[in-house]
Amino acid sequence: MHFIAGNWKMNLDRKSALALAAALRERVGQRQDIEIAVFPPFVYIDEIARSLAGSRIMVGGQNCCDEERGAFTGEVSAAMLRDVGAGWVLLGHSERRHLYGESDALIQAKVQRALGTGLRVMLCVGETLAEREARRTEAVIGSQLQAGLRGVAAADMERIALAYEPVWAIGTGVNATTAQASQAHAYLRGVLVGMYPGAVAGRSRILYGGSVKASNAGELLRAGDVNGCLVGGASLEASSFLGIIDGAPRL
Ligand code: PGA
């Protein structure tokens, strides 16, 4: 089953976020063969989760704190996310890694906290343009993956989805080619095979993210080892997000 997720980032306001959720809820019914999630800003999760309750659309946070609770001004805990109806959390997004300096070690601690709290995790990895040009793509995404999954038991891999998001493709309008995406996904799959029993590694979903829109999603979703997509800009309007869902190949 393909997994299509919308990362709203720091966009929308209360009214437009609720309108978007309502439109998705109303029009998403046709495709029972696709898993769908949205990642609203923290402050809207509670209401969005309520408005999507009973629908097939899952809700997640865009980040969480590695600590359980306490004096961490400005942070949001994994338990708080669950408390307001989030089932997922996005961790290791490149904007967190690069704009806010999140290290592999911090991301690993967040993964542990999120899983320990009962959340499902979408763990993002991706290389910068300089790293790709230096032919370090595999080294970079391989070590991000291994570090992020350190300590994650095979049984918990059911609650993990991975997203390959080349930094140079995020928000730029330049998506990876299907060949670039499937090459990276196959490499990540190989890393998983080295870490987990074959069946577990084979079942893990690896989403592609970076300038996905309705016009390129179908092709990307047909690429080898691409099990879904993580959508930023094109998830902010119901028509473009639904266009991606409607255009997804039937498996
Ligand atoms: P984009 O963002 O679709 O706007 O490129 C993707 C992401 O950052 O998850």
Side-chain angles (χ1 to χ4, degrees), residues 10 21 30 43 75 169 177 181 230:
M10 197 172 75
Q30 301 89 324
V43 291
E75 292 292 303
T177 62
L230 178 55

Side-chain angles (χ1 to χ4, degrees), residues 7 9 93-95 165 169-173 209-212 230-234:
N7 173 11
K9 307 192 182 183
H93 189 278
S94 77
E95 285 148 21
E165 298 203 299
I170 296 179
T172 59
S211 297
V212 174
L230 178 55
V231 186

